[in-house]
Amino acid sequence: MARTTGSDGEKTEAAVREAAVSLIARLGYEAMSMRQLGAEVGVQAAALYRYFPTKEDLLFTLMREHMEGLLEAWDTARPATVDPAARLAAYVRNHIAFHIERRHATHVSNMELRSLSHERLTQILKLRAAYEKELRAILRDGAEAGIFEIDDVGLTAMALIQMMTGVIVWFRPGERLSIAEVTTTYLSMTMRLVGAKIDAYRAARRERRAKDAVAL
Amino acid sequence: MARTTGSDGEKTEAAVREAAVSLIARLGYEAMSMRQLGAEVGVQAAALYRYFPTKEDLLFTLMREHMEGLLEAWDTARPATVDPAARLAAYVRNHIAFHIERRHATHVSNMELRSLSHERLTQILKLRAAYEKELRAILRDGAEAGIFEIDDVGLTAMALIQMMTGVIVWFRPGERLSIAEVTTTYLSMTMRLVGAKIDAYRAARRERRAKDAVAL
DNA sequence: GAATTAATTGAACGTTCGTTTTATTAATAC
DNA sequence: GTATTAATAAAACGAACGTTCAATTAATTC
């Protein structure tokens, strides 16, 4: 009726995070009770307050770490090239891989924003905006280089993100399609959507060189 | 402290539905209390039970009517032609118009599915499946006629629906873009995504006629 | 091995929840 | 104008909620 044998703060906290993501994704933040979460971890509800001062703190921590993880993943996956088509392909691949791998956490971060305080909501939205800005930059560069055909950069970025993130709604690992197949298909849909011509970047560069050569 | 002057069951029920859609969209189903809903309508919580036997019945009614409305809207908007490009354009236009017009109700229908009982969830998903089936049929016809270029019909349908429905997340009437502008841009993104060639249907028909003429 | 710190239990707190019941008044029918 | 029906208020129900607190035991430190 007190500290249990083998209990370990680090392990318990990790178990709480994991169980919370899963429970909130399945039931919703409001519908999940602290008693349920405790039961899932194998601990009384009161023990949870050793790790997170309130239920909302727990939610916010999960969301912030998810968004920071997304930005870090992109920072690692970001290619060195300036070719917009290659950068867009990398963005799509990273986005889909990250979100399929963390379906539950993505669900939480996208659906439970309204349960955050105003200040914390702002923090999460700022992280999200930074991530989306990267995509808009790629689209703008591609449009200005003439290798993408885009009506409205902001609108296209939103459409692409909604389309890609939507994967988590219907995708189930081990069903009809593999992650690789899904990614390939989404990549070709993306490239068509932005009107990218295959190897348009190299063609454009060749053309520019030829023009420069003439100018000399 | 009982029936109030001017009270009218029909008006109250309509006010309850309207307030419920708005409150659930804003706060979430679990977070909205029956007392809050009553206050919004200008009535005690107990009075709500004259119109909906339980809170979940209220939610289910709103969702079912939303989905039925969507199917009816498509039934009305569905064009007579067999041209897949024209049908796809009509589908996109109807989808975007319907969802922008009913942003709150769409939010409710998409986000609160987990608060339904198993049986009722099945009913709603059946309606949704019927609606999505229409899009898959259009895509399949277009692919078979050779005027769309589609890797995977099911996956493309999901991608398109996620992309289009995503409009309600960021679109606010009266801001930078009008509904017409948004619709036009989404239409061209859709056509590019499915690899539709402009007037490909007419060209294909012309070609077929020419071949038939030769065969004679 | 005694003292200290870490981890947890179990009980309790005040609130709020969805819902039910009963009483009461407005509108309608005869 | 009386009887009936429709629409609501007010109060109450037990259950569940997030959270706090004191007590208790395991692990660690010295």
Side-chain angles (χ1 to χ4, degrees):
Chain A
M1 319 171 176
R3 178 164 191 170
T4 54
T5 70
S7 63
D8 175 340
E10 275 192 42
K11 281 184 190 168
T12 303
E13 179 168 349
V16 170
R17 286 166 190 263
E18 203 174 322
V21 167
S22 159
L23 274 181
I24 296 176
R26 199 162 72 241
L27 312 173
Y29 170 76
E30 292 281 353
M32 178 200 74
S33 76
M34 295 300 268
R35 285 168 180 82
Q36 262 180 300
L37 177 55
E40 191 82 4
V41 176
V43 110
Q44 289 293 319
L48 303 172
Y49 288 83
R50 171 162 250 278
Y51 307 99
F52 301 95
T54 69
K55 191 185 177 189
E56 197 211 317
D57 277 279
L58 169 57
L59 175 65
F60 176 64
T61 301
L62 297 176
M63 285 186 170
R64 197 193 52 223
E65 290 177 357
H66 177 75
M67 294 306 299
E68 287 171 351
L70 178 58
L71 279 162
E72 279 169 30
W74 169 236
D75 228 54
T76 304
R78 181 208 305 278
T81 176
V82 293
D83 175 7
R87 284 156 64 206
L88 180 56
Y91 194 94
V92 171
R93 273 192 244 272
N94 181 67
H95 188 95
I96 292 180
F98 186 89
H99 284 86
I100 282 188
E101 221 165 83
R102 314 202 196 183
R103 268 178 49 217
H104 291 323
T106 303
H107 238 97
V108 173
S109 285
N110 287 346
M111 309 258 290
E112 307 295 349
L113 287 167
R114 57 187 164 203
S115 295
L116 293 178
S117 69
H118 178 73
E119 189 210 356
R120 286 172 160 176
L121 173 62
T122 305
Q123 285 186 59
I124 298 295
L125 292 183
K126 201 173 285 181
L127 292 171
R128 178 191 278 199
Y131 177 69
E132 294 173 355
K133 192 179 176 182
E134 297 281 319
L135 177 56
R136 282 198 300 273
I138 296 172
L139 296 180
R140 195 177 309 111
D141 289 352
E144 284 173 2
I147 65 175
F148 291 165
E149 195 181 321
I150 291 175
D151 294 346
D152 184 303
V153 167
L155 198 147
T156 303
M158 294 313 293
L160 282 177
I161 286 180
Q162 304 284 355
M163 179 184 94
M164 292 187 295
T165 308
V167 167
I168 64 164
V169 175
W170 55 265
F171 182 80
R172 294 291 174 280
E175 278 190 8
R176 188 167 65 89
L177 297 165
S178 70
I179 296 185
E181 288 169 323
V182 169
T183 305
T184 301
T185 305
Y186 268 77
L187 204 45
S188 80
M189 287 194 293
T190 300
M191 290 306 173
R192 276 204 298 263
L193 192 152
V194 302
K197 296 271 162 46
I198 294 169
D199 277 337
Y201 175 71
R202 287 175 198 162
R205 200 168 48 178
R206 241 194 325 271
E207 210 168 288
R208 216 178 308 124
R209 280 216 204 93
K211 212 195 296 184
D212 291 350
V214 169
L216 291 174
Chain B
M1 319 169 174
R3 179 167 190 171
T4 55
T5 70
S7 63
D8 174 341
E10 275 192 41
K11 282 183 189 168
T12 302
E13 179 168 351
V16 170
R17 287 165 189 261
E18 203 174 324
V21 167
S22 160
L23 274 181
I24 296 175
R26 199 161 73 240
L27 312 174
Y29 169 76
E30 292 283 351
M32 178 200 75
S33 75
M34 295 300 268
R35 285 168 179 82
Q36 263 180 299
L37 177 55
E40 190 84 2
V41 176
V43 109
Q44 290 294 319
L48 303 172
Y49 288 83
R50 172 161 248 278
Y51 306 101
F52 300 97
T54 69
K55 192 185 178 188
E56 197 211 317
D57 276 281
L58 168 57
L59 175 65
F60 176 65
T61 301
L62 297 176
M63 285 186 168
R64 197 194 51 221
E65 290 177 357
H66 177 74
M67 293 307 300
E68 286 171 351
L70 178 57
L71 279 162
E72 278 168 30
W74 169 237
D75 228 55
T76 304
R78 179 208 306 275
T81 176
V82 295
D83 177 6
R87 284 156 64 204
L88 180 57
Y91 194 94
V92 171
R93 272 193 243 275
N94 180 66
H95 188 95
I96 292 179
F98 187 88
H99 284 85
I100 283 188
E101 222 165 82
R102 315 203 194 182
R103 268 178 47 221
H104 291 322
T106 302
H107 238 97
V108 173
S109 285
N110 287 347
M111 309 257 290
E112 307 295 350
L113 287 168
R114 57 187 164 206
S115 295
L116 293 178
S117 70
H118 178 73
E119 188 211 356
R120 285 171 161 177
L121 173 62
T122 305
Q123 284 185 60
I124 299 295
L125 291 182
K126 201 173 286 180
L127 292 172
R128 178 191 275 198
Y131 178 69
E132 294 173 355
K133 191 179 176 184
E134 297 280 319
L135 177 56
R136 283 198 299 273
I138 295 172
L139 296 180
R140 196 176 310 113
D141 288 353
E144 285 174 1
I147 65 177
F148 291 164
E149 196 180 321
I150 291 174
D151 294 346
D152 185 302
V153 167
L155 198 147
T156 303
M158 293 314 292
L160 282 177
I161 286 180
Q162 304 283 356
M163 179 184 96
M164 292 187 294
T165 308
V167 167
I168 65 164
V169 174
W170 54 265
F171 182 80
R172 293 293 174 280
E175 278 189 7
R176 187 166 66 88
L177 298 165
S178 69
I179 296 184
E181 286 168 324
V182 170
T183 305
T184 301
T185 305
Y186 268 76
L187 205 44
S188 80
M189 288 193 295
T190 299
M191 290 305 172
R192 276 203 298 262
L193 192 152
V194 301
K197 295 273 161 48
I198 295 171
D199 278 338
Y201 176 71
R202 287 177 198 158
R205 199 168 48 178
R206 240 195 325 274
E207 211 168 286
R208 215 177 309 123
R209 278 216 206 93
K211 211 196 297 181
D212 290 351
V214 168
L216 289 175

